[in-house]
Amino acid sequence: MKTVLVTGFEPFGGDLVNPSQEIARALEGRVIAGRRVVGAVLPCVFGLANVELRKLLRTTRPELVICLGLAGGRTEITPERVAINVDDARIADNAGAQPIDEPVVRGGPTAYWSTLPIKAIVAALRQRGIPASVSQTTGTFVCNHVFYGLMQALARGRGRRGGFIHVPPVQAPGTKGQPGLPLATMINAIALAVELSVQRRTDVRATGGQTH
Ligand code: PCA
């Protein structure tokens, strides 16, 4: 059976939880659209995260890869459009490193586009009442670093697709109205994103982006 790799991140910046880690763990071993999901958790550490990711790509040989991370201030599921070649950290990573204005890959291209059907994912989620938007920036911390590393690795392979989706914080039960989404909703959303991404090689032409 072909595999899909879904990664999340360990908690960072003093947090005790990271929903992206919980989602990757929840999807581990599931069969979606005839593909077995391998769920894995990456360290929130510049450099090491991409070493671990490349190991996973070698050992699991996935047809498709979706990397996940937490975007603290967001309220929606946000498939990312683009990874850029810069590390510029506002806080230290989990190993204490804080690169400023450094390239992810010296001499690498300025950016890589996601090869997930990001607009189709947003449309499908909205249809089910799950708040979602295309995001135009992955930031410049470890998530963008991993997204860039992923797309560079995939660009060398043959037709393997992938991308990055940021998720909001977990909304604790009984706190409706607070920013964030229930974990179960986010697990369903990412399962749907996997299904759609396996099924659709091309995106739809539709609105769905944040314009800022
Ligand atoms: N979010 C951070 C890194 C790890 C994570 O889950 C980010 O957005 O860069």
Side-chain angles (χ1 to χ4, degrees), residues 94-114:
N94 285 359
Q98 191 171 1
I100 308 287
D101 293 342
E102 287 175 21
V104 179
V105 175
R106 207 160 293 282
T110 304
Y112 285 104
W113 302 116
S114 174

Side-chain angles (χ1 to χ4, degrees), residues 60-90:
T60 65
R61 305 204 149 273
E63 177 191 27
L64 181 93
V65 185
I66 300 184
C67 295
L68 306 170
L70 166 67
R74 294 192 191 166
T75 55
E76 302 181 306
I77 304 283
T78 47
E80 296 290 348
R81 188 190 289 273
V82 61
I84 60 175
N85 192 14
V86 67
D87 292 332
D88 192 28
R90 187 177 48 81

